[in-house]
Amino acid sequence: MSKKEVISYQADPEVEKKVNELAGSDRSVRGWMALLILALAIIMSVYHLYTAGFGLMPGVGTRSHMIIHLTFGLVLVYLIFPIKRGLGQTKIVWYDFIIALIALFVGYYLYANQTSNSILTGRMTDMDKLVGIALLLLVLEATRRVVGKPLVIIAGIFIAYFFLGHHLNPPFRHTRANFENFIYEMTYTTSGIFSTPLSVSAVYVFIFILFGAILEATGAGKMFIDLALRAFGKYKGGPAKAAVVSSGMLGSISGSSVANAVTTGTFTIPLMKKVGFRPQTAGGIEVAASSSGQLLPPIMGAAAFLMIEYTPYTYAEIIRSAAIPAILSYIAILFMVHIEASKHNIKGLPKEMLVSARKTMIQHGYLILPVIVLVYFLVRGNTVPNAAFFSIVILLTLAVFTHRFREKIGPGIVIAGILAGLAYAMHFVLDWNIEIAVMVTIGIFIALFVVLLQKSFKVDAAPVRFGVRELLAGFEMAARNSLTVVVACATAGILIGVINLTGLSAKLPIIIVGFAGDNLYLALAFTLVACLILGLGLPTTATYVILAAMVAPALVQMGVPIMAAHLFVLYYGILADDTPPINLPAYAVSGIANSEPIRTGVQGFKFDSGALLLPFVFATNTVILLLPENAGLYSWPVIAQNIFTALLGIIAFVVFIQNFFLVKLRFYERILALGTALVFIHGSWITDTIGIVLLALLIAIQYMRKKKDTHETQTSTV
């Protein structure tokens, strides 16, 4: 590659296909079958967009909304996902059509009969029982096809526990096993499938998946990658650092570690390999960066919305508390990458090979505006779905009219004026929110300003076209991307139902506390192990639901604040996504990196472990979480001091993991690095002072050794 060649991300047309295959679907259909899937996906997206902006339709309650949401999801799963991978199907087989029709009938029956006397009284008819059993089987099979076997196996264990618990010894023994009661509670009440996880999926998660899909279709991915490359590409290990930053920004929006890893990894992994990173290392860096994006505000995947239901905090309070730990986690990954590059003397890319930051901002900078709008409405106090709806309105306006104005400004202005007039007319005639018209108006003016700016600076328009086809493709992709969350939340509801019906939710905290005694650090260590084990092979959404119900209450019982307890289990639930041998993002990127999946997974876990001890820090000392209940309790210098010492602890732990700082560590230096990191956990002035002294000692030793090695090298060459 010539040094004059400018490196800029270009979307791979095979990425969408690769994401679908890695998610478990290699069925590729054409013709009327593809149109059927497209139509259902678009209807699903438009329905959720409407409910986010205007509320539920007349006659549709919260439970009805969940039934519609799940029915769409189940029907699409059986039309899109084959019974197993590797069949190379080019059409929807007959039995999947039948199963999809059964799912449609089950959804209709649940919707039409939810207020029937038999359901309200709990005295199910034979048909009620048959439909309930069918729903359970449909959900579990859909989960197997989309998410994989691990979650289904866990669900099977929980169901077995419900029916066989009377054979166990205390404290796990229970006597509540009853087949009819199980079917009723799991399918016709809010204790099972239609409980909090599915409600969160229907009300909160889908609209943000739609927001992410449309944002990606507009070229935001290109903007993130180009900006990250410009900022970090020329430095030591530059492409890897750019991969970390761009994957973090995309991961916060997409919420899918697999889709994020493939989308950005298609471009960043070859660049990392080009400058000298080993294939498994390049893949591992992408895995770590893509997974941890689910901890980053403002969207945080789906976890933040679930946390709203499981904690007494608002969305704004949750993202504020998650912000500092998330940033520290990404600093840890960046420092891991820097040390890795130093170990192997990996350089960056020449500056002239990188796209201009000014050009990127002129081309794509307006795409940041919808995110700003989202944060504004959240801070202002709008509901989360409503804020997302307004963000999508301005995003669509920007995307459509920047493209329209580039082609012909005059006709574009006429169309824009008509649209803005209609938006205001709808406000006065149909009482639509005035914010809709305002967002359309602002979007039109910004789009016109951007196009005029591009012409003024003679900057070519971004090579991403956005018209009706791209809009419909975004709607379809949102529906497809939501299927993992829909079925995972439905199955997680079964787990939560069993936990609550058997009384296990009250017993587990007692069991964990009993094992740990009064030692909080021991309880946190037990929780860490439980999170990594329970999260193996599960999507983060399902992992968090299980941990929030089973483990977080134990930490709260031991005195950990609710926010800290839930962020603790969320952090390690995300880390479990990178834990071999079941590491879906690693399998996703191993094909791009040409590396072995398990070794790629090990590297992913390694690069995501730089901040492994950080949750222990904020669980025992919540200053950096900026908790609402701590408002005014700590001054900003105190908060800054705690952030600084947490960062020093991360640096020490990264050095311990990498076994390298300025030069390769000796055994006693590595022990010193680990000891330094552990000392910083406690968060008192005494321990922080000791930690700073130990870290200074380590740096001094390393500096003297580096100086000595350099002198000896120079002497030997003379």
Side-chain angles (χ1 to χ4, degrees), residues 19 31 57 105 146 149 160 228 257 305 313 321 355 369 425 468 484 533 597 628 640 662 716:
V19 171
M57 295 179 177
F105 169 76
V146 180
K149 294 179 181 178
S257 54
F305 315 122
Y313 300 103
S321 292
V355 68
L369 182 60
V468 175
T484 300
I533 294 174
L662 300 177
S716 63

Side-chain angles (χ1 to χ4, degrees), residues 270-316:
L271 273 182
M272 284 188 268
K273 291 171 64 178
K274 176 182 174 61
V275 296
F277 286 98
R278 294 173 297 175
Q280 65 269 22
T281 303
I285 291 170
E286 184 60 55
V287 165
S290 298
S291 300
S292 292
Q294 297 171 94
L295 193 65
L296 274 174
I299 297 177
M300 295 175 63
F305 315 122
L306 286 161
M307 208 175 291
I308 293 172
E309 301 297 324
Y310 285 107
T311 69
Y313 300 103
T314 65
Y315 184 77

Side-chain angles (χ1 to χ4, degrees), residues 309-445:
E309 301 297 324
Y310 285 107
T311 69
Y313 300 103
T314 65
Y315 184 77
E317 290 169 341
I318 290 170
I319 63 174
R320 184 178 64 184
S321 292
I324 293 174
I327 294 170
L328 288 173
S329 296
Y330 267 88
I331 291 175
I333 301 175
L334 284 171
F335 193 59
M336 286 281 289
V337 168
H338 181 78
I339 296 294
E340 186 75 18
S342 298
K343 284 166 66 175
H344 302 286
N345 195 29
I346 299 174
K347 306 296 183 184
L349 294 167
K351 184 178 179 180
E352 58 268 23
M353 292 178 64
L354 305 174
V355 68
S356 163
R358 187 186 73 168
K359 178 182 178 181
T360 299
M361 289 304 297
I362 293 175
Q363 282 187 330
H364 299 285
Y366 63 91
L367 294 175
I368 299 174
L369 182 60
V371 179
I372 297 173
V373 168
L374 171 66
V375 175
Y376 166 77
F377 280 110
L378 288 173
V379 172
R380 200 182 77 160
N382 289 67
T383 65
V384 175
N386 211 226
F389 174 79
F390 294 140
S391 300
I392 291 174
V393 169
I394 196 168
L395 173 59
L396 290 176
T397 306
L398 284 168
V400 170
F401 282 103
T402 48
H403 173 64
R404 176 65 63 180
F405 290 151
R406 284 185 207 120
E407 292 183 335
K408 292 182 179 180
I409 289 184
I413 291 176
V414 173
I415 296 173
I418 294 172
L419 179 64
L422 284 174
Y424 281 101
M426 290 299 172
H427 166 66
F428 291 109
V429 176
L430 298 180
D431 199 30
W432 282 17
N433 289 329
I434 188 63
E435 288 88 350
I436 297 176
V438 173
M439 290 300 102
V440 170
T441 305
I442 293 175
I444 289 170
F445 276 108

